[in-house]
Amino acid sequence: MTSTHGDHDRPLRVKTRLALLGRGEPRPGQPLNVPIIAASNFHASTGPELGRGYARNDATPGWEAFEALIGDLEGGAAVALASGIGAIAAVLDLLPAGGRVLVPEDSYTGMRALVTDGAAAGGRWKVTTVDMTRDDALFPAIADADLVWLESPSNPMMHLVDIAAVTAAAADAGALVAVDSTFATPLLQSPLELGADLVVHSATKFIGGHSDLLLGVVACATDELHAAVRRRREVAGATPGALECFLALRGARTLALRLAQAQATATALATRLEAHPVVQAVHYPGLRSHPRYALGTTQMRGPGAVLSFEVADAPTADALCEELRVVTNATSLGGVETTIERRAKLPGQQHVPAGLLRLAVGCEHLEDLWDDLDRTLHEVTAAARAIAG
Ligand SMILES: *Cc1c(COP(=O)(O)O)cnc(C)c1O
């Protein structure tokens, strides 16, 4: 199935593609969904065509169905991998030996762990870390890079990077650009259209959408890159599971609905939190106070459903996480349940304020979330004052 339909070849809209793509042949009696095919091995082909053989090398129909949908949405051929980090590792493996990767100071903690381990282990990569909100640090550093890694919006500070400006500079420097677009999902920004070479998602998050699987995916701008990433899956073995691909594809069917709801709620919560007496700062691309608000309105089709906000200190933030009753005190994001986490407690997050909380908004009712946040914010600050007094 292609993205166009009917006499006029008008491209189908995203919601329609989410419903229709990644299915089997529409033949009578065949299931609408590609079933979970629990197979590592396939009968050898006897004809001249080399058929499907061993799953790690040749994929399975379930992986391909998921890849067909994500590849279509991103505008480049996709490769599913066992996790978001598996996808990131496959991209880093494209670096030449001793190659230099430029990474944002504010980025997913697992990504930071992966690059620093790789740099330590006999200098497999060289790593340059920059604060990507500072153009005077970012653009000069691109000249020395083989791979520029972007995360926009970033986790957890919600920084935005001008993807088109970076890809233009990287093209001049002969560097590849990869974008971790997990927070935006394929629906809210299209990095390949902005000149990026690779887009990575943790499908564990919004794409899967139900906190019940681990999966990653890479979408590639060229056939050459697609073949190279597939080759990394084959030789390094970060193969996705059949069940995971099935669940992620099923989750993706409702991505537009879940994300629209969660984003509207996140926008309302960000606005109310910004006006709350005990909240010191809110970081959300949908707020006019965001330093790159204007960029967000052109580069993205919406600000997304993740925000972060700051309270006085770590004890206040920790108490808030423990006392909330509707918001779930847990890591990760992108499920139908709203989660909250104090990110500075994790290693490698020295740049994150101690009292910063990441709020990943789900699909609960806005007023239930707000009642919970508002009341608990007042309670924990009153308790802290009582102790101090
Ligand atoms: C969770 C996450 C990852 C890692 O994905 P896993 O599926 O947990 O391996 C990478 N990038 C971002 C932005 C994430 O939030």
Side-chain angles (χ1 to χ4, degrees):
M1 177 127 15
T2 65
S3 308
T4 55
H5 198 261
D7 297 338
H8 307 293
D9 252 17
R10 189 181 57 218
L12 293 174
R13 293 160 181 87
V14 166
K15 274 184 190 163
T16 312
R17 283 142 67 191
L18 286 167
L20 296 183
L21 297 184
R23 298 196 181 272
E25 282 297 307
R27 274 183 284 131
Q30 292 303 304
L32 268 67
N33 294 310
V34 175
I36 299 173
I37 297 170
S40 56
N41 210 358
F42 297 83
H43 288 290
S45 145
T46 47
E49 257 178 45
L50 217 55
R52 209 183 283 280
Y54 191 55
R56 176 157 48 72
N57 305 338
D58 302 327
T60 77
W63 308 359
E64 286 170 349
F66 174 71
E67 291 168 347
L69 175 63
I70 302 301
D72 178 272
L73 295 173
E74 288 291 1
V79 184
L81 292 115
S83 64
I85 279 294
I88 295 172
V91 172
L92 286 172
D93 275 348
L94 304 179
L95 276 170
R100 182 170 292 279
V101 56
L102 180 62
V103 297
E105 177 184 54
D106 192 54
S107 52
Y108 178 65
T109 50
M111 155 68 187
R112 306 257 348 137
L114 176 63
V115 290
T116 42
D117 280 15
R124 191 161 161 217
W125 309 299
K126 298 191 188 80
V127 181
T128 304
T129 304
V130 292
D131 174 355
M132 290 199 180
T133 62
R134 286 186 41 213
D135 286 349
D136 60 334
L138 169 59
F139 285 93
I142 292 173
D144 298 323
D146 297 291
L147 171 66
V148 181
W149 191 271
L150 304 182
E151 195 176 297
S152 185
S154 69
N155 186 354
M157 298 302 295
M158 306 306 297
H159 294 159
L160 299 186
V161 189
D162 187 335
I163 297 172
V166 168
T167 58
D172 290 342
L176 288 175
V177 176
V179 181
D180 183 334
S181 202
T182 298
F183 279 24
T185 83
L187 270 47
L188 300 180
Q189 89 188 352
S190 300
L192 298 185
E193 280 174 14
L194 301 171
D197 301 287
L198 302 131
V199 185
V200 172
H201 291 280
S202 169
T204 308
K205 313 293 169 54
F206 289 100
I207 293 175
H210 295 78
S211 309
D212 54 6
L213 61 91
L214 285 165
L215 192 69
V217 62
V218 184
C220 310
T222 65
D223 292 345
E224 199 186 353
L225 285 169
H226 179 243
V229 174
R230 253 190 88 124
R231 172 82 183 156
R232 292 319 303 162
R233 176 173 71 187
E234 181 180 330
V235 301
T239 52
L243 175 65
E244 282 73 8
C245 282
F246 180 91
L247 287 174
L249 185 55
R250 185 167 86 153
R253 301 275 180 225
T254 56
L255 177 58
L257 302 173
R258 288 184 284 107
L259 192 61
Q261 171 69 60
Q263 177 174 264
T265 307
T267 303
L269 290 176
T271 307
R272 294 183 192 185
L273 284 168
E274 198 170 41
H276 198 281
V278 308
V279 172
Q280 300 182 342
V282 181
H283 309 276
Y284 183 58
L287 291 177
R288 283 178 190 277
S289 57
H290 190 284
R292 299 232 164 131
Y293 172 78
L295 173 68
T297 61
T298 53
Q299 176 165 286
M300 301 181 75
R301 292 181 284 272
V306 185
L307 60 97
S308 55
F309 65 97
E310 295 175 41
V311 294
D313 49 27
T316 309
D318 287 336
L320 186 72
C321 293
E322 279 162 35
E323 297 303 325
L324 286 164
R325 289 294 164 260
V326 177
V327 175
T328 303
N329 179 16
T331 192
S332 199
L333 56 109
V336 295
E337 69 290 344
T338 298
T339 56
I340 194 164
E341 183 171 50
R342 188 172 74 80
R343 291 299 282 184
K345 71 182 185 189
L346 301 176
Q349 298 288 284
Q350 294 82 355
H351 67 286
V352 175
L356 180 132
L357 292 153
R358 188 188 66 197
L359 189 71
V361 178
C363 297
E364 304 91 336
H365 197 287
L366 164 65
E367 300 305 339
D368 289 331
L369 290 170
W370 178 247
D371 287 349
D372 194 33
L373 282 163
D374 180 39
R375 192 184 27 183
T376 316
L377 276 165
H378 283 298
E379 274 169 18
V380 296
T381 357
R385 279 205 199 98
I387 292 166

